[in-house]
Amino acid sequence: MRGKDNADLNALCKRVHKCAEGAAIATETTFTSEFHSASSNLITISVLQKNLYKAMAAIPLPVPDEKDIEFGEKIAATIVDRKKDLPLYPTELLPLPDVISPHFGSTDTGDVSWNCPTVQMHVGCWVPGTPNHGWQTVAQGKNGFARRAMLYTGKAMALAAVQLFENPELLAEAKKEHLAKTGGVYEP
């Protein structure tokens, strides 16, 4: 089951449990349930997002070379329903939105984010339109552009950390925002 946040997921879990109870009653059987694991929703801390974005903007974006372009064109030709107006590689840093939308999908970073202020970034290291978890993703993981994009990411993360060390008031503000969003409570 998935939900937009922990509260939504808990409500859905109760509903599914009631469906199972109803099915057991209707079939004159019993059921049991067992909790195995889950990933909590990601708590976004705008102070950290802005700090990381500032770091990302201070570092030149990776640029594809001829080999990357040749390989990227071959990959793009295999992507079903790829929009033709998409660039072959990410070419610019998108503006940071005024409101950071929740991160959907499963990530154990969500559980970490309930316990301490956390920031997450997304950097394009493959041809836009590449399906997640597909063979095209794997095939592009070792090309030169992906390596340069990962190095860019590491540099941005390091610079963001330096900025927090040099500006402890940002970290204090992030902790305050985190407490306001979580209430200091974590229930996996």
Side-chain angles (χ1 to χ4, degrees):
M1 293 178 282
R2 288 188 179 203
K4 66 178 173 56
D5 56 32
N6 288 0
D8 185 55
L9 184 60
N10 288 338
L12 179 60
C13 189
K14 287 177 185 174
R15 190 170 173 197
V16 169
H17 198 269
K18 286 180 181 180
C19 289
E21 283 178 337
I25 291 167
T27 58
E28 297 181 343
T29 60
T30 61
F31 83 97
T32 60
S33 66
E34 186 177 321
F35 177 83
H36 288 279
S37 68
S39 295
S40 297
N41 59 288
L42 186 69
I43 302 297
T44 304
I45 306 298
S46 62
V47 173
L48 296 181
Q49 288 291 159
K50 291 173 185 172
N51 180 62
L52 180 56
Y53 186 83
K54 182 179 170 186
M56 292 172 73
I59 300 167
L61 288 171
V63 177
D65 62 22
E66 284 184 37
K67 283 177 71 174
D68 298 327
I69 292 169
E70 182 181 327
F71 181 66
E73 287 171 344
K74 289 177 183 175
I75 291 291
T78 70
I79 300 172
V80 178
D81 298 328
R82 182 176 186 275
K83 294 177 185 169
K84 301 301 178 201
D85 61 337
L86 288 174
L88 193 55
Y89 286 98
T91 56
E92 62 184 328
L93 186 62
L94 299 176
L96 187 65
D98 293 334
V99 176
I100 308 294
S101 58
H103 178 276
F104 292 101
S106 300
T107 175
D108 54 1
T109 307
D111 293 289
V112 174
S113 76
W114 276 86
N115 289 284
C116 64
T118 306
V119 65
Q120 188 167 8
M121 65 192 296
H122 297 269
V123 175
C125 56
W126 57 56
V127 172
T130 297
N132 290 333
H133 310 294
W135 70 264
Q136 295 98 333
T137 304
V138 175
Q140 294 176 80
K142 286 187 165 185
N143 80 356
F145 184 80
R147 285 189 178 123
R148 287 190 297 283
M150 287 184 268
L151 287 171
Y152 164 82
T153 303
K155 290 174 185 176
M157 290 169 63
L159 180 56
V162 168
Q163 290 170 342
L164 290 174
F165 280 113
E166 291 177 346
N167 302 286
E169 69 278 1
L170 290 177
L171 193 53
E173 195 176 330
K175 288 178 180 180
K176 183 178 176 183
E177 182 180 346
H178 180 264
L179 183 59
K181 288 186 172 184
T182 64
V185 177
Y186 168 62
E187 292 182 27

